């Protein structure tokens, strides 16, 4: 038995690599995995978790009844754990939040806040975890995302497996490569959540959720995934850098005196804004941020066309979330997609190729989605540490 310890513990047992080695610098940015681990696990993660417990960030308004626009869905998931519990009517005060989204620079679809089918959902009562939703219908979602909406590496054969992710898409420009890595990173993050909160036992009166090491290995083990597992995890870290940078770029908007986190509780609203500002200042203290000015540089006409291609591709991916048959999976898919779309909106709003339109604004839906989205990515990186420790205990 051989044990190697670096950013990730690699343990060789029965000739299988049970924890993928992820360390060193990431592609397309000047940052390393070890620095992200320390910063996230020690500084960012605790503050994010505290903020996500507050009323402002735990309630998300979403329309879960939109029909799939791309194919006829046979039925909805009938599993108990696929259902979503709506919040109580007493929380309806949240819909008084003033809508002021920036329509021109949207990167994902915002559900109509006044649509009769939209409802507030308490995210703490509906945690993201393994629901039992799997098989052909679940694979169909990721196949559609990767095959039809991602800028795929030229060297990849068709059809593309939903579990495929390229660490670096050879032959592509940095923008298309980055977009592909973001989707791969989101897929990796969701896979970690499902592995970390897996249904381990289902007794008559009690269910027990916890980490499933075998499920984690099946998705990220280097040998079991033909070397793709570590690449997926590196894309997760790349996604973290993108959303972290978006938090920092949102700081000037949140600092404005007129920017309120309205829940109808003035004192709590004030404390929540202080907590959010503290989080954003912490994010700004990270020394190795992604440089978004490297994107869409060069010829302005070509850059604007490429940016629009990326925006439309992401809009299409947001529509695919309405095809997910598990309502709880749809909820978290829509939220995290909107969060990433908000991050892209923020980063792209100040690039040279952006039109000289009105200044950046964020509405409640976008801010709640953004903070929850990076909360999910932050949790994934934290869970990686937990899996390393579990795997080390098995040696």
């Amino acid at each position: 038995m051989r044990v190697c310890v670096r950013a990730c513990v690699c343990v060789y047992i029965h000739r299988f690599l049970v924890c993928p080695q992820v360390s060193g610098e990431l592609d397309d940015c000047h940052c390393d995995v070890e620095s992200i681990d320390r910063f996230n696990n020690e500084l960012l993660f605790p503050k994010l978790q505290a903020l996500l417990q507050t009323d402002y960030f735990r309630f998300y308004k979403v329309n879960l009844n939109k029909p799939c626009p791309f194919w006829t869905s046979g039925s909805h998931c009938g599993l108990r754990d696929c259902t979503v519990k709506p919040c109580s009517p007493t929380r309806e005060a949240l819909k008084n939040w003033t809508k002021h989204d920036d329509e021109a620079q949207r990167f994902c679809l915002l559900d109509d806040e006044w649509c009769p089918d939209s409802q507030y959902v308490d995210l703490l009562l509906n945690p993201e975890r393994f629901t039992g939703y799997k098989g052909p219908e679940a694979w169909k979602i990721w196949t559609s995302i990767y095959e039809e909406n991602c800028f795929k590496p030229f060297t990849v054969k068709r059809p593309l497996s939903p579990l495929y992710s390229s660490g670096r898409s050879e032959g592509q420009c940095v923008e298309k490569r980055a977009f592909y890595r973001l989707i791969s990173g989101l897929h990796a993050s969701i896979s970690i959540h499902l592995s970390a909160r897996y249904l381990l036992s289902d007794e008559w009166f009690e269910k027990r959720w916890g980490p499933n090491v075998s499920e984690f290995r099946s998705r990220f083990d280097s040998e079991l995934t033909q070397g793709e597992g570590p690449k997926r995890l590196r894309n997760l870290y790349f996604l973290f850098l993108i959303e972290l940078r978006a938090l920092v770029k949102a700081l000037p908007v949140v600092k404005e005196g007129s920017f309120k986190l309205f829940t109808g509780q003035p004192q709590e609203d004030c404390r929540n804004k202080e907590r959010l500002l503290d989080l954003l200042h912490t994010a700004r203290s990270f020394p190795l941020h992604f440089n978004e000015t490297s994107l869409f540089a060069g010829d302005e006409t070509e850059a604007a066309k490429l940016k629009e291609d990326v925006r439309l591709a992401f809009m299409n991916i947001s529509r695919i979330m309405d095809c997910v048959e598990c309502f709880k999976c749809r909820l978290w898919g829509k939220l995290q997609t909107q969060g990433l779309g908000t991050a892209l909106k923020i980063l792209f709003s100040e690039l040279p190729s952006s039109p000289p339109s009105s200044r950046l604004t964020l509405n409640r839906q976008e801010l709640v989605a953004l903070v929850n989205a990076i909360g999910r990515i932050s949790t994934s990186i934290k869970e990686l540490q937990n899996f390393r420790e579990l795997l080390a205990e098995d040696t």
Side-chain angles (χ1 to χ4, degrees), residues 316-359:
N316 214 37
I317 290 175
S318 71
R319 293 187 181 98
I320 293 177
M321 292 299 120
D322 288 315
C323 299
V324 178
E325 294 183 355
C326 167
F327 282 119
K328 187 170 292 182
C329 305
R330 181 184 295 196
L331 164 66
W332 286 101
K334 290 168 75 75
L335 182 145
Q336 292 176 82
T337 301
Q338 185 178 2
L340 177 54
T342 302
L344 295 177
K345 164 189 166 175
I346 293 171
L347 294 184
F348 292 175
S349 64
E350 297 182 6
L351 294 180
S353 58
S354 300
S357 56
S358 59
R359 62 184 178 84

Side-chain angles (χ1 to χ4, degrees), residues 4-22:
C4 299
V5 180
R6 190 167 176 176
C8 183
V9 180
C10 299
V11 185
Y12 294 85
I13 303 178
H14 306 305
R15 295 182 302 143
F16 287 106
L17 183 64
V18 299
C19 184
Q21 184 176 14
V22 183

Side-chain angles (χ1 to χ4, degrees), residues 47-48 50-59 91 93-98 100 120 247 250-280 361-372:
K47 294 183 178 182
L48 266 171
L51 190 62
L52 293 175
Q53 301 293 314
T54 64
D55 280 357
Y56 186 89
F57 289 101
R58 69 183 286 183
F59 293 105
R91 300 295 185 178
L94 289 174
K95 68 183 178 183
N96 292 327
W97 178 260
T98 304
H100 56 283
Y120 279 107
L247 281 184
L251 181 57
V253 177
V254 178
K255 285 175 60 177
E256 294 180 358
S258 59
F259 192 89
K260 308 293 183 183
L261 301 185
F262 177 80
T263 65
Q265 307 172 74
Q267 292 184 341
E268 183 65 16
D269 294 348
C270 183
R271 284 193 294 268
N272 287 343
K273 183 170 181 178
E274 292 174 356
R275 294 186 187 108
L276 178 58
L277 286 172
D278 180 54
L279 174 71
L280 300 187
T361 61
L362 293 172
N363 69 2
R364 180 183 183 278
Q365 284 287 99
E366 292 170 322
L367 184 60
V368 170
L370 174 64
V371 175
N372 271 279

